[in-house]
Amino acid sequence: MTAAERWAEQLAAWAIPQHILDQAPQSPWAHETASFVVDDTLDRSVLSAEVARTVLPKEGGSVLDVGCGGGRAAMSLVPPAARVIGVDQDPAMLAAFTTAAAEAGARSSTIQGAWPEVVLEASIADVVVCHHVAYNVAEIEPFLGALTGRARLAVVLVLPTVHPMTAWNNAWHRFWNIERPDGPTSDDLVEVLEEMGISPERWEMPRPPLARNTADPATRVPSTLRRLCLGNDRADEVAEFLALHEPDWAAVHTVLRWPGDASSAMSFGTS
Ligand SMILES: C[S@@+](CC[C@H](N)C(=O)[O-])C[C@H]1O[C@@H](n2cnc3c(N)ncnc32)[C@H](O)[C@@H]1O
């Protein structure tokens, strides 16, 4: 089995049993926009930003942010980046991205759709960033290949060392008596890249601050109910459980950087 097949197989193991999904009041996989907006928690000095900044032009550079959410990855690079392009399948995230770019003083554009299906709509950028998206992607090789193909200088990809949903594994056991998977990991992603002939540079960093909404204790019960496919009638039980069992957030994030292979003749703004 190839590394890419192992990646897909491990992600498939996260499928939620149909009888649980059927009674879920809301999608357990959805991302809340408020959890990914640019706010005063954004730390522009984190390692992932430094790693991207060292390859960006000193001024006027461009950043393509794939799975951009509200733009925390791209906006931490403004300046020196002066132009940001956000790609996301969720229009609410793109609206937040546009607002954040205006507030940061960057020119911006957005593309709504699933990467890599929308790759041809995306102009080439100096640096392509992709934070906290890889674990959503079963067909990982074309996804990574398209990131590389749109980067003139480098791709910087960030992911927790372990799948973010492992934070609720104990809760799944408590409320549904089922065991959840614990893979894949960032090591598995590196194996996929190596199989593609890419040897990324690699760093580990502590988890950067969460957006204000995610860090707010008031959002923990509703978000846990959603992740666990439970209704509001279980809110008290979930609150009790969380008081004793803090979700086990991945404390370490992996930062990967590798060279882009887009032709410089097609650099952003001229393609
Ligand atoms: C966990 S959020 C991360 C947002 C942002 N990158 C950050 O670090 O704050 C993942 C985002 O990726 C988007 N997404 C997931 N898979 C995608 C795909 N294949 N193409 C485009 N967007 C995707 C989701 O809609 C969501 O906004």
Side-chain angles (χ1 to χ4, degrees):
M1 189 186 277
T2 66
E5 286 165 349
R6 275 199 304 281
W7 178 267
E9 189 178 86
Q10 292 193 80
L11 285 181
W14 282 94
I16 293 171
Q18 196 58 44
H19 70 279
I20 297 179
L21 268 184
D22 285 346
Q23 52 75 66
Q26 0 169 19
S27 166
W29 303 113
H31 294 296
E32 268 181 72
T33 311
S35 299
F36 299 100
V37 294
V38 172
D39 60 19
D40 60 356
T41 63
L42 186 66
D43 179 357
R44 291 178 168 76
S45 68
V46 292
L47 179 73
S48 53
E50 290 299 330
V51 160
R53 215 176 280 123
T54 52
V55 290
L56 270 171
K58 293 283 169 273
E59 57 185 55
S62 56
V63 172
L64 171 64
D65 187 349
V66 174
C68 60
R72 288 174 76 87
M75 276 5 121
S76 64
L77 301 174
V78 177
R83 174 121 201 192
V84 292
I85 311 109
V87 178
D88 206 291
Q89 51 205 14
D90 181 341
M93 295 287 191
L94 293 175
F97 181 93
T98 302
T99 302
E103 280 168 9
R107 287 182 295 148
S108 74
S109 54
T110 58
I111 298 161
Q112 191 199 333
W115 191 266
E117 282 154 36
V118 294
V119 61
L120 293 179
E121 292 173 45
S123 303
I124 286 161
D126 291 319
V127 170
V128 174
V129 293
C130 182
H131 290 201
H132 306 296
V133 186
Y135 290 121
N136 288 330
V137 181
E139 285 193 42
I140 194 69
E141 269 190 276
F143 184 95
L144 297 170
L147 297 178
T148 312
R150 279 296 182 259
R152 192 165 68 81
L153 299 173
V155 179
V156 177
L157 184 146
V158 177
L159 74 173
T161 51
V162 296
H163 195 294
M165 292 295 177
T166 56
W168 285 281
N169 281 9
N170 289 339
W172 273 98
H173 186 77
R174 156 68 179 80
F175 288 94
W176 290 103
N177 201 23
I178 60 174
E179 298 303 327
R180 302 296 282 150
D182 56 9
T185 67
S186 56
D187 289 346
D188 295 305
L189 191 73
V190 170
E191 281 179 27
V192 173
L193 284 164
E194 283 170 351
E195 199 168 74
M196 294 169 71
I198 296 169
S199 301
E201 295 171 271
R202 176 178 182 158
W203 299 263
E204 315 293 346
M205 67 174 185
R207 179 166 57 83
L210 298 167
R212 205 153 280 291
N213 177 71
T214 317
D216 180 356
T219 66
R220 289 169 73 222
V221 171
S223 71
T224 303
L225 287 169
R226 181 161 48 84
R227 296 297 184 208
L228 292 183
C229 303
L230 297 171
N232 277 334
D233 54 320
R234 309 295 296 278
D236 289 347
E237 276 173 86
V238 164
E240 251 174 63
F241 179 83
L242 290 175
L244 296 175
H245 309 274
E246 178 77 18
D248 196 8
W249 302 110
V252 180
H253 288 180
T254 300
V255 181
L256 302 172
R257 181 175 73 187
W258 65 92
D261 71 3
S263 150
S264 56
M266 295 171 68
S267 65
F268 186 81
T270 58
S271 60

